[in-house]
Amino acid sequence: QVQVAESGGGTVQPGGSLRLSCAASGSDFRSGTMGWYRQATGTQREWLVSQTSGGATNYADYVKGRFTISRDSAKNTVYLQMNNLRPEDTAIYYCKIGRIRLGRPQTDYWGQGIQVTVSS
């Protein structure tokens, strides 16, 4: 059984920083593409960034230069470093971790979501 756990959310003042973590656990879990999304109240979930197992990374324009994704594949963990946070970054943040298994398409697993609030 695969479990995905997020941590690191909270409240920060504008201009501040937070680091989110997301770890997948389960027997014989090999991570593929990892990514982060967010959903603000009353809006649809939006994509922020993705990174393949080979390290290819893509960012949405609205976070490029402020957010940085990193990963520890050995621990099946992905991180999101968020700098220069703005009130409009307030949202529930979700991670997505892909599981690779030989001969099968990647299976994606979502974190439970974690609140990030940017407010003075």
Side-chain angles (χ1 to χ4, degrees):
Q1 183 177 1
V2 175
Q3 293 184 325
V4 180
E6 298 184 39
S7 61
T11 299
V12 64
Q13 292 186 343
S17 299
L18 281 175
R19 188 191 193 211
L20 305 182
S21 299
C22 172
S25 61
S27 61
D28 299 323
F29 191 101
R30 180 186 170 193
S31 56
T33 299
M34 298 179 171
W36 289 92
Y37 296 71
R38 69 185 180 190
Q39 186 170 16
T41 303
T43 69
Q44 292 185 336
R45 189 174 300 187
E46 63 180 5
W47 167 77
L48 302 178
V49 57
S50 296
Q51 186 175 75
T52 69
S53 57
T57 305
N58 287 289
Y59 291 93
D61 287 343
Y62 36 86
V63 301
K64 194 176 296 183
R66 298 189 299 125
F67 291 11
T68 303
I69 190 173
S70 60
R71 63 192 286 161
D72 184 338
S73 294
K75 297 181 180 180
N76 296 317
T77 300
V78 61
Y79 306 95
L80 184 66
Q81 177 67 43
M82 304 185 292
N83 298 327
N84 192 22
L85 284 162
R86 306 165 180 168
E88 54 264 37
D89 294 318
T90 295
I92 298 174
Y93 283 68
Y94 297 89
C95 65
K96 185 173 74 171
I97 298 182
R99 182 183 186 183
I100 295 174
R101 286 175 288 181
L102 186 64
R104 302 184 185 185
Q106 177 172 292
T107 303
D108 293 327
Y109 294 89
W110 289 89
Q112 80 279 10
I114 194 163
Q115 179 69 46
V116 171
T117 301
V118 185
S119 174
S120 55

